[in-house]
Amino acid sequence: MNPELLAKAKSLGFSDQQIACLTGRKEEEVRALRKQYGLAPSYRLVDTCAAEFEAYTPYYYSSYDRGDDEVRSSDKRKVMILGGGPNRIGQGIEFDYCCVHAAFALKEDGFETLMVNSNPETVSTDYDTSDRLYFEPLTLEDVLNIYEREKCWGAIAQFGGQTPLNLALGLQKNGVNIIGTSPQDIEIAEDRKLFAAMLRKLAIPQPPNGIATSEAEALAVAKELGYPVLVRPSFVLGGRAMQIVYSDSDLQRYMRFAVEASPERPVLVDQFLEDATEVDVDCIADVGGCSRPGQGQIVIGALLEHIEFAGVHSGDAAMVLPPHTLSPKVVQVIRDYTHAMARELNVLGLMNVQYAVKGETVYVLEVNPRASRTVPFVSKAIGIPLAKLAAKVMAGRSLAELGFTKEVWPKNWAVKESVFPFNRFHGQDILLSPEMRSTGEVMGLDAELGIAYAKSQMAAGGPLPLSGRVFMSVSDAHKEDLVEIARQFAQLGFELIATSGTAAALENAGLKVERVFKLSAGRPNSLDLLKNREIQLVINTPTGQTPRADEVKIRTTAVYTNTPIMTTISGAKAALLGITALRNSGYGVKTLQEYHY
């Protein structure tokens, strides 16, 4: 590890972490050695105006080849904003929206903004979004190099999702001023034991849970909690490898093949609350910026009620703003819990909380003291740019100073629906789970809830039918709920089609149903009708923990024929509400601005 060898390794693109791994050292030792030898990257400029005239918004990339450093010096206070890195399911454009708004807001307050991101598909990497763009990977080494070269005043790690958040503690240990909620307070929310201790102190309930570092521990925790349980690895994006498990054999399979459990990476095991309503809350607070305890304000941006029951990842779930079935008492409890946790965590900026409501009891599922993927949707629904306000709060302004001190209850209904890539993956089942699978989202706005939901379905590419035939095939657990839904469809003039089990339940309730064969029993069956465009809507809920091949074929064929399909009873009810509203009053179109001004 002489200076020449280290210089050659860096010029060939080896990171400090790679060199540490190859030489049996720690990353910080390699960094210290590199600094001792005077090895630091130089930054080259990409001229965004091709030398035709002066470029006021250049962007840079690093190089260890010998050459002049082209960074232009400035006396302004600089804030570095860490982007989300590569787009993938679980971390996408919603976080980029927050980073862009932070850049705009801090520019307004006189800061020079530096964006660090490596994804050319984002708006944050447009050369005119920030004052300077560094097209670099989001690693501890690269971020520290830029921070030290630019002599930044502070850095924002809470707007780019989990990727920059994972760097926050390491950056702070190396002298970076992380503005906003402190990494230590974020750690309380991320660390399962610290989080549980905080909830006990505040007397806020959470679903019974445990932590496992081995298969035996996981089985012991599940036995104590009782099945079903929700299992997930710690520190992952988009609920990756998160599953609802119903038996010892399923849990053993999960621990052996889905995750690698260790004391450093424990598996989290929660009691799964079946048929609970999930609620997302986004709030903004300036508590962490106050010198005395108890000072500062907390303002809730929105309470979003999921249409699907708890168990569907919040990135995939359809949501309604304001909540449409929660009692005023439950809403107030959610407010109280949110305020208590924001104050305890000294939140400075944004915070997202996920709740499960079972009856009148409110449980906390998780708390994220950072920007969430619902912030863009909420901001557009209530007409308040939450990410901009949060950036200004993190940089030292107060909510009172910014004029945002009261919760905004929207006058119109806003429905968020997710967009999925299932038509690109032949044979892939479309059932939603705790693991995120959506690749985008759309929004429906209207003064009537049914119309807002119908608009969201149009935007997502599956407009609801106003007439025709509805195919129904549901599990035994859902047959009782289906009867009333089917009755209302029949009253609207729809023809009902079902396989034998579901048809018998509907006929026993006095409804007229056309029976079709199961796929293995003969023809015509539901696939024939779907391919011939003789079915306009499908309601199909899973009949067991392991989807049967017939069910998967029905659901995938519905996707390929662009036939709207509902895989939950709550989704079927929402579809019925939307169709009824469209039939009664139709819909109008207004710009987003007309809803707010």
Side-chain angles (χ1 to χ4, degrees), residues 3 10 145 247 332 379 455 490 563 566 593:
K10 296 306 291 184
N145 285 339
S247 67
Q332 189 55 49
S379 298
K455 285 180 176 179
T563 306
M566 302 297 156
Q593 289 75 16

Side-chain angles (χ1 to χ4, degrees), residues 158-171:
Q158 295 169 34
F159 280 0
Q162 196 69 37
T163 301
L165 207 62
N166 288 344
L167 298 175
L169 270 173
L171 291 171

Side-chain angles (χ1 to χ4, degrees), residues 302-485:
L303 288 84
L304 301 124
E305 181 179 345
H306 293 210
I307 288 175
E308 291 86 1
F309 283 129
V312 173
H313 192 279
S314 62
D316 288 352
M319 299 183 189
V320 177
L321 170 64
H324 63 301
T325 69
L326 302 182
S327 69
K329 177 189 170 187
V330 165
V331 169
Q332 189 55 49
V333 168
I334 289 173
R335 280 197 190 101
D336 294 342
Y337 287 173
T338 304
H339 279 248
M341 288 186 289
R343 201 164 289 286
E344 184 68 22
L345 290 169
N346 297 305
V347 172
L348 184 60
L350 290 166
M351 182 179 86
N352 170 265
V353 191
Q354 290 167 24
Y355 294 98
V357 180
K358 183 97 171 174
E360 292 285 290
T361 305
V362 178
Y363 297 91
V364 174
L365 299 179
E366 69 179 77
V367 176
N368 297 300
R370 58 165 171 81
S372 75
R373 59 176 52 82
T374 48
V375 164
F377 171 77
V378 168
S379 298
K380 294 180 184 194
I382 67 173
I384 304 290
L386 293 179
K388 277 189 171 182
L389 294 180
K392 292 185 177 187
V393 162
M394 292 160 80
R397 304 276 294 277
S398 70
L399 286 171
E401 190 183 345
L402 295 169
F404 185 57
T405 56
K406 290 184 180 176
E407 181 182 334
V408 175
W409 199 262
K411 299 171 187 171
N412 299 284
W413 294 97
V415 177
K416 187 210 93 170
E417 183 56 280
S418 299
V419 178
F420 298 94
F422 296 127
N423 59 352
R424 308 288 179 92
F425 299 96
H426 192 79
Q428 176 70 41
D429 196 6
I430 67 168
L431 282 181
L432 301 181
S433 72
E435 185 167 12
M436 185 173 168
R437 302 167 84 186
S438 64
T439 51
E441 61 184 45
V442 295
M443 178 179 190
L445 267 176
D446 202 87
E448 190 176 343
L449 176 56
I451 300 294
Y453 181 78
K455 285 180 176 179
S456 73
Q457 300 309 296
M458 292 176 202
L464 298 172
L466 298 183
S467 61
R469 305 165 95 191
V470 183
F471 172 71
M472 300 177 175
S473 177
V474 301
S475 69
D476 290 341
H478 297 139
K479 285 186 170 70
E480 190 177 330
D481 291 322
L482 183 69
V483 168
E484 186 54 36
I485 294 170

Side-chain angles (χ1 to χ4, degrees), residues 99-274:
C99 292
V100 170
H101 276 238
F104 292 161
L106 294 174
K107 270 193 205 180
E108 289 171 10
D109 277 9
F111 290 92
E112 190 168 285
T113 56
L114 279 64
M115 187 72 66
V116 181
N117 206 358
S118 56
N119 185 353
E121 292 297 315
T122 57
V123 182
S124 67
T125 50
D126 284 358
Y127 60 83
D128 57 354
T129 294
S130 54
D131 293 306
R132 304 188 200 192
L133 166 66
Y134 281 85
F135 210 82
E136 293 289 288
L138 285 152
T139 67
L140 188 66
E141 174 188 350
D142 292 289
V143 172
L144 279 175
N145 285 339
I146 298 164
Y147 188 88
E148 290 166 359
R149 172 62 185 83
E150 286 279 9
K151 298 180 175 63
C152 295
W153 169 73
I156 292 178
Q158 295 169 34
F159 280 0
Q162 196 69 37
T163 301
L165 207 62
N166 288 344
L167 298 175
L169 270 173
L171 291 171
Q172 189 186 54
K173 286 175 185 173
N174 282 276
V176 173
N177 174 28
I178 300 290
I179 64 173
T181 308
S182 77
Q184 287 74 21
D185 286 318
I186 292 172
E187 187 75 4
I188 292 172
E190 296 262 345
D191 184 287
R192 202 48 176 261
K193 290 179 180 175
L194 296 175
F195 182 55
M198 181 193 80
L199 293 183
R200 282 195 299 272
K201 176 184 173 184
L202 298 174
I204 295 175
Q206 68 175 145
N209 61 80
I211 298 173
T213 59
S214 66
E215 183 182 316
E217 282 185 20
L219 289 168
V221 172
K223 184 179 180 181
E224 184 182 338
L225 298 178
Y227 289 104
V229 293
L230 181 68
V231 287
R232 53 183 165 150
S234 47
F235 306 107
V236 296
L237 292 170
R240 190 195 62 75
M242 193 186 291
Q243 283 183 24
I244 301 166
V245 172
Y246 290 83
S247 67
D248 281 355
S249 58
D250 286 345
L251 184 56
Q252 286 170 323
R253 195 177 305 114
Y254 175 86
M255 294 298 291
R256 289 172 190 174
F257 302 113
V259 295
E260 196 174 310
S262 69
E264 293 76 34
R265 293 196 165 272
V267 170
L268 314 176
V269 185
D270 292 296
Q271 188 180 76
F272 179 62
L273 301 172
E274 291 190 283

Side-chain angles (χ1 to χ4, degrees), residues 510-542:
L511 294 168
K512 181 182 175 184
V513 186
E514 178 187 337
R515 289 186 178 228
V516 293
F517 290 110
K518 291 187 174 180
L519 301 195
S520 56
R523 306 179 80 168
N525 55 46
S526 55
L527 291 195
D528 298 323
L529 298 179
L530 280 167
K531 290 172 182 175
N532 294 335
R533 304 295 197 275
E534 294 177 51
I535 291 175
Q536 281 64 53
L537 179 68
V538 175
I539 298 172
N540 174 242
T541 66

